[in-house]
Amino acid sequence: MEKLENQNILEIICNDKDEVLKKKLRELLVTICYGKEQEELEIITFDETIEELNKRIERKTDDQKAGMIGELLFHLKSFEKLKNYSHISIYLNKEERSVKKGFDVLLFDGEKVWYTEVKSRENAQNENITDAHVSKIQEAITDVKGKFLSSNKNYWLTAKSNIANVKSNELKKQIADILTKEINIQIEKNAIGVSAVFKKDVDNINKEKVKEVLNKEKDNFKNIAAICISHQNYKKIIEMLKELENGTKL
């Protein structure tokens, strides 16, 4: 899928072999965490990035770790599945050792800014995988809707501060104009609810049940979409990140 449309549902099963996923992380981690320019100019190195990311993960609770890995997987897979999109936001907060504040991920499709929230379920062993995704999609949509209706303009100021990660000045101006306009709570906006579910036995989801959530919420948005990411175990990703830091060969 190259471009999301209203009420689209994209299912992503993360079943890459370890060496493939490590290769993707090595190629994209600096860009994901700090922005494309930092990677291209080698201002921040991969070694610095992986060390810093692992420090932030280590101090988190299990639930928070799953949340960080869920968001990392969405960043990673959005480069693969949504190739025509500009990635406005970065993964790591510059001021503190946590993921950034504001909207989780901001994407630009050439016309619209998509405001994205990612919600993760760290252990869904005793839960139907579709039900787990539906619950987290609803939670993500409720979260982004609350931010749209909030008087807190910092969400948009944070978004604007990340436009620096877009290389084209023309594109920066275009995105800035959209963000400035969409601060207004009366303006309908575009949202993506993302669920990341970690379950040992990964099955395909029933998209019709996810569609029910989107139908229920459609009047609150100009366009709304869902992306459901499934992976067997977030702890496996954490192990890979440590292996990459320690120089384990792919």
Side-chain angles (χ1 to χ4, degrees), residues 3-4 107-114 178 190 222-223:
K3 198 167 185 179
L4 291 170
L107 300 171
F108 183 63
D109 67 7
E111 298 174 359
K112 304 179 291 294
V113 171
W114 291 84
I178 292 171
N190 310 289
K222 185 174 182 180
N223 294 285

Side-chain angles (χ1 to χ4, degrees), residues 20-34:
V20 173
L21 189 54
K22 282 183 179 180
K23 185 174 186 293
K24 291 177 181 178
L25 285 165
R26 181 171 286 281
E27 290 172 350
L28 289 170
L29 194 65
V30 177
T31 295
I32 288 170
C33 289
Y34 293 113

Side-chain angles (χ1 to χ4, degrees), residues 17 68 89 100 122 164 185 219 222 229 247:
K17 292 183 178 179
M68 289 188 73
S89 52
K100 60 175 179 40
E122 78 277 13
I185 63 174
D219 292 339
K222 185 174 182 180
I229 302 173

Side-chain angles (χ1 to χ4, degrees), residues 2 67 97 125 184 196:
E2 293 295 327
R97 283 188 165 154
Q125 287 311 111
N184 188 330

Side-chain angles (χ1 to χ4, degrees), residues 87-150:
H87 292 70
I88 303 170
S89 52
I90 58 173
Y91 175 53
L92 294 183
N93 185 3
K94 298 173 185 175
E95 286 74 33
E96 57 184 289
R97 283 188 165 154
S98 65
V99 291
K100 60 175 179 40
K101 297 175 182 176
F103 298 101
D104 285 341
V105 184
L106 292 174
L107 300 171
F108 183 63
D109 67 7
E111 298 174 359
K112 304 179 291 294
V113 171
W114 291 84
Y115 303 86
T116 304
E117 292 292 326
V118 183
K119 299 299 179 183
S120 299
R121 175 80 164 85
E122 78 277 13
N123 184 2
Q125 287 311 111
N126 298 319
E127 188 173 1
N128 177 281
I129 195 166
T130 296
D131 293 341
H133 276 293
V134 166
S135 174
K136 289 302 170 181
I137 289 293
Q138 181 63 72
E139 189 179 332
I141 291 172
T142 299
D143 194 350
V144 73
K145 182 171 60 176
K147 289 178 179 178
F148 285 169
L149 297 174
S150 172

